[in-house]
């Protein structure tokens, strides 16, 4: 009846589901059994039957108010905890990019391996998916891992998991997205760390960061984003993951979503001390090229602790 439990989150989700099912069962019995009993015991025996009037019972009312309040707040707290764990990927998680489009899933590993139709992941290591759609809304769903997240056009969403055993697990599109929605399926292949490393290493040389570097030149980004450009544009070395101070006085973290927005809508967040002169690259880079550009910018950051101030 249930898919296998193959991720750390599966156990947490199933435990809570079982508890809530049990709790609902207890309340079902608490209501239905007395109901049937009372229906029989207090049935009308003849036309002259007039039941005695009851004015209420304070103790009983307090009891059936307080007990459900405690129970539902308990379930809420528990659920919120499970939810927060699900939406906060551990910082050490390995990042894999996912592009959904009618009707395939494409995966891009940092090392350079690209796949369609299968997603290789390591066992016992957190993996974070950064996902985007090239057309309509899709949803990435891995039942064995108990994870599901909408994949939207125009915005990155994330999902994370840690596989607990090696195996081949089905992954599905869980949002109706047109004619071939039903066949928009893929497989998650979870491998032991050594086998996964071997698989990664068998990929082509170069990789998305190198493609991104080439694209960076082709689009002319290097003209302004250059150390000797005389302050035309902010330098990108060491940018990724850092706090950026904006003209507006706010500070934002230079993560994937920030970089993406800055490429597509450069006027949205102007970096303090720079003029708003960058043109938009909307319609000039597709989602896969966007990922390559982001991975290139990321590769310019050696190790900069998150949260350190802009120089
Ligand atoms: Cu993609 Cu349904």
């Amino acid at each position: 009846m249930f898919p296998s439990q193959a991720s750390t989150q599966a156990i947490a989700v199933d435990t809570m589901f079982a508890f809530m099912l049990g709790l609902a069962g207890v309340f079902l019995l608490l209501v239905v059994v007395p109901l049937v009993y009372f229906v029989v015991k207090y049935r009308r025996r003849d036309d002259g039957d007039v039941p005695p009037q009851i004015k209420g019972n304070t103790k009983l009312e307090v009891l059936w108010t307080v007990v459900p309040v405690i129970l539902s707040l308990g379930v809420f707290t528990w659920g919120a905890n499970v939810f927060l764990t699900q939406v906060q990927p551990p910082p050490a998680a390995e990042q894999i990019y996912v592009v959904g489009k009618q009707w395939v899933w494409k995966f891009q590993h940092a090392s350079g391996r690209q796949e369609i139709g299968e997603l290789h992941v390591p066992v016992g290591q957190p993996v974070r998916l950064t996902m985007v759609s090239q057309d309509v809304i899709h949803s990435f769903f891995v039942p064995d891992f108990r994870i599901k997240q909408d994949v939207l056009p125009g915005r990155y969403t994330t999902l994370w998991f840690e596989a607990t055993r090696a195996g081949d697990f089905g992954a599905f599109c869980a949002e109706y997205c047109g004619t071939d929605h039903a066949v928009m399926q893929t497989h998650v292949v979870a491998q032991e760390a050594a086998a996964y490393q071997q698989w990664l290493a068998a990929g082509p040389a170069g990789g998305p960061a190198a493609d991104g570097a080439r694209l960076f030149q082709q689009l002319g980004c290097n003209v302004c984003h250059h150390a000797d450009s005389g302050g035309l544009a902010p330098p990108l070395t060491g940018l990724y993951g850092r706090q950026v101070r904006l003209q507006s006085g706010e500070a934002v973290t230079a993560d994937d979503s920030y970089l993406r927005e800055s490429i597509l809508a450069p006027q949205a967040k102007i970096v303090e001390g720079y003029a708003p002169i960058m043109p938009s690259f909307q319609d000039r880079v597709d989602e896969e090229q966007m990922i390559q550009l982001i991975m290139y910018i990321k590769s310019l950051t050696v190790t900069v602790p998150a949260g350190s101030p802009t120089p």
Side-chain angles (χ1 to χ4, degrees):
M1 191 162 88
F2 286 95
S4 73
Q5 293 177 327
S7 78
T8 50
Q9 283 151 14
I11 295 148
V13 170
D14 288 1
T15 310
M16 196 171 88
F17 181 75
F19 175 81
M20 286 175 68
L21 194 67
L23 192 66
V26 167
F27 274 93
L28 181 79
L29 293 179
L30 274 178
V31 172
V32 172
V33 170
L35 179 110
V36 172
Y37 173 75
F38 291 145
V39 161
V40 175
K41 179 166 162 104
Y42 297 110
R43 69 186 184 278
R44 183 177 244 196
R45 282 155 216 270
D46 65 66
D47 288 348
D49 257 0
V50 177
Q53 289 303 306
I54 299 167
K55 291 279 184 248
N57 184 323
T58 312
K59 265 188 206 158
L60 203 57
E61 285 183 27
V62 168
L63 187 77
W64 73 42
T65 306
V66 170
V67 171
V69 164
I70 292 172
L71 283 173
S72 44
L73 281 180
V75 169
F76 167 76
T77 312
W78 186 0
N81 247 313
V82 172
F83 174 77
L84 287 175
T85 310
Q86 287 221 351
V87 296
Q88 290 170 323
E94 173 160 339
Q95 196 178 15
I96 299 173
Y97 289 88
V98 180
V99 176
K101 64 179 210 182
Q102 290 166 323
W103 288 275
V104 286
W105 296 106
K106 296 185 181 184
F107 306 101
Q108 174 71 66
H109 295 257
S111 70
R113 286 215 79 163
Q114 252 182 343
E115 10 181 16
I116 293 178
E118 265 184 341
L119 168 62
H120 286 75
V121 298
V123 169
Q125 216 175 299
V127 172
R128 168 195 187 163
L129 305 179
T130 299
M131 312 186 293
V132 72
S133 165
Q134 218 154 283
D135 38 49
V136 300
I137 299 177
H138 303 278
S139 181
F140 194 73
F141 178 34
V142 188
D144 296 278
F145 292 174
R146 310 291 189 278
I147 51 163
K148 178 159 70 174
Q149 170 64 49
D150 276 11
V151 179
L152 310 173
R155 187 186 344 156
Y156 286 137
T157 53
T158 60
L159 193 60
W160 83 272
F161 57 85
E162 183 179 325
T164 48
R165 61 184 176 80
D168 189 315
F169 309 104
F172 305 88
C173 179
E175 181 74 49
Y176 181 70
C177 55
T179 317
D180 282 340
H181 157 73
V183 296
M184 192 170 168
Q185 302 175 3
T186 185
H187 293 266
V188 178
V189 180
Q191 294 178 304
E192 296 300 341
Y196 175 69
Q197 288 307 329
Q198 212 171 7
W199 178 85
L200 273 188
D211 294 336
R214 219 168 303 127
L215 203 55
F216 195 77
Q217 305 274 338
Q218 278 166 17
L219 294 168
C221 313
N222 58 320
V223 176
C224 297
H225 289 284
H226 186 256
D228 307 321
S229 71
L232 273 179
L236 302 179
T237 304
L239 170 69
Y240 191 85
R242 206 177 55 192
Q243 289 280 305
V244 176
R245 194 155 289 286
L246 303 178
Q247 203 82 292
S248 61
E250 286 171 282
V252 291
T253 305
D255 57 8
D256 293 356
S257 295
Y258 167 79
L259 295 179
R260 183 176 198 284
E261 184 187 51
S262 296
I263 293 168
L264 298 179
Q267 313 299 324
K269 293 189 173 73
I270 300 294
V271 179
E272 190 178 45
Y274 289 91
I277 54 168
M278 177 169 157
S280 165
F281 286 83
Q282 185 91 47
D283 305 325
R284 292 183 64 190
V285 283
D286 65 26
E287 293 300 348
E288 284 166 66
Q289 291 173 322
M290 177 63 75
I291 290 167
Q292 291 164 1
L293 282 173
I294 290 174
M295 293 184 95
Y296 167 62
I297 295 170
K298 221 169 148 178
S299 74
L300 299 174
T301 302
V302 192
T303 12
V304 175
S308 58
T310 317

